[in-house]
Amino acid sequence: MSELYKQLAEDGKNKDDTNFCTVIATAVVFDKSYEDANDYLKLHAKRPHRSGPSWENFEKAIRKLAI
C-alpha cells in the first residue's frame, strides 16, 4: 500500500468520512489533496458525505476535470 494512499485514507477518516474511494482515486490521478478532491466531487458530482456519487455524476465530473 502506497504512502500516498495511506495518507489520503487517514485524511478521510479524520474527516469522519467513509466510502471515499472516488475521492482517493480523484486525488491520486489529478494530484490533489483529499480536501480538494472531496470538495470538487461534492460540487460537481453531488457526492454526499459518507457516500459515493452516482456513476453518472462521477463520470461527468471526472471528464470536466480532465479537460
Side-chain angles (χ1 to χ4, degrees), residues 42-60:
K42 285 198 287 190
L43 180 64
H44 296 284
K46 301 176 184 149
R47 179 186 185 260
H49 184 64
R50 302 184 74 149
S51 184
S54 71
W55 176 252
E56 181 181 357
N57 288 341
F58 179 65
E59 184 177 15
K60 287 178 187 176

Side-chain angles (χ1 to χ4, degrees), residues 1 4-14 20 24 34:
M1 191 176 316
L4 177 58
Y5 173 82
K6 288 179 188 177
Q7 182 59 55
L8 292 167
E10 189 65 30
D11 291 346
K13 290 175 188 173
N14 288 339
F20 45 70
I24 290 177
Y34 182 91

Side-chain angles (χ1 to χ4, degrees), residues 20-35:
F20 45 70
C21 58
T22 55
V23 177
I24 290 177
T26 302
V28 169
V29 171
F30 294 102
D31 193 28
K32 297 196 171 292
S33 67
Y34 182 91
E35 188 171 347

